[in-house]
Amino acid sequence: MRQAIKVKHELRLYELKKAVNDFIEFTENLTLLHSVNEKAREMAQAVDMLQQLLQQGLDANTLVSAVNTSEASTLLDEIVDADAVSELEAYMLSAAEGIEDAEVTQFLTEVMDKVERKYNRLLEKAHAYNALLKS
């Protein structure tokens, strides 16, 4: 039983970490995307803490309890609830209003679409992990 629970957690955390790292790599060193990059870095730290917790060799009940009450799972939940991309999108739209060049505006729109897709993928994996916690 313990092994099955641990394997499920490891798999969901691996998938989440992969999506988080992909997002961090995409947004790295882009000034306007700094805020969402920071949120992704916080998620990466939370995932690392949860992965460390899984390596402690706890029995199934203790493991589930420890994960559910961990600061990392609370932090992960809070980050998922925060809407960092919407704030960024609002900022980008307001910045684009003053730009008269249609190509630049199109470029900003395309970048935001890509950011949103990648962030939604990250959130999808976070929600999958949160659902595992609640099962």
Side-chain angles (χ1 to χ4, degrees):
M1 173 83 169
R2 177 190 163 293
Q3 194 62 22
I5 290 172
K6 183 179 176 185
V7 168
K8 286 179 185 178
H9 280 267
E10 286 174 339
L11 177 61
R12 293 285 185 241
L13 286 172
Y14 169 79
E15 291 171 345
L16 176 55
K17 183 76 178 246
K18 187 174 179 193
V20 167
N21 286 338
D22 182 46
F23 189 81
I24 288 170
E25 183 179 318
F26 178 71
T27 58
E28 189 71 28
N29 298 320
L30 297 173
T31 305
L32 291 176
L33 303 180
H34 178 74
S35 63
V36 290
N37 181 275
E38 282 300 311
K39 287 295 178 198
R41 288 184 178 285
E42 290 174 21
M43 287 183 91
Q45 289 175 335
V47 170
D48 287 343
M49 287 188 272
L50 290 167
Q51 287 175 325
Q52 289 172 3
L53 192 57
L54 291 177
Q55 300 308 314
Q56 292 181 6
L58 303 171
D59 66 75
N61 292 335
T62 306
L63 176 63
V64 170
S65 178
V67 168
N68 282 324
T69 60
S70 71
E71 182 181 321
S73 100
T74 302
L75 177 64
L76 190 59
D77 207 25
E78 289 171 3
I79 292 170
V80 168
D81 288 341
D83 200 359
V85 169
S86 289
E87 292 173 20
L88 175 64
E89 191 172 34
Y91 173 74
M92 293 288 264
L93 287 174
S94 69
E97 286 177 7
I99 299 173
E100 306 228 356
D101 187 334
E103 287 181 356
V104 172
T105 302
Q106 179 65 29
F107 173 74
L108 290 174
T109 301
E110 290 169 356
V111 168
M112 274 311 303
D113 287 346
K114 201 166 196 175
V115 168
E116 192 168 6
R117 277 193 307 274
K118 286 187 174 289
Y119 197 76
N120 285 340
R121 175 90 170 126
L122 180 154
L123 290 179
E124 175 188 309
K125 296 301 180 184
H127 285 302
Y129 186 71
N130 286 340
L132 177 63
L133 291 175
K134 293 175 176 131
S135 65

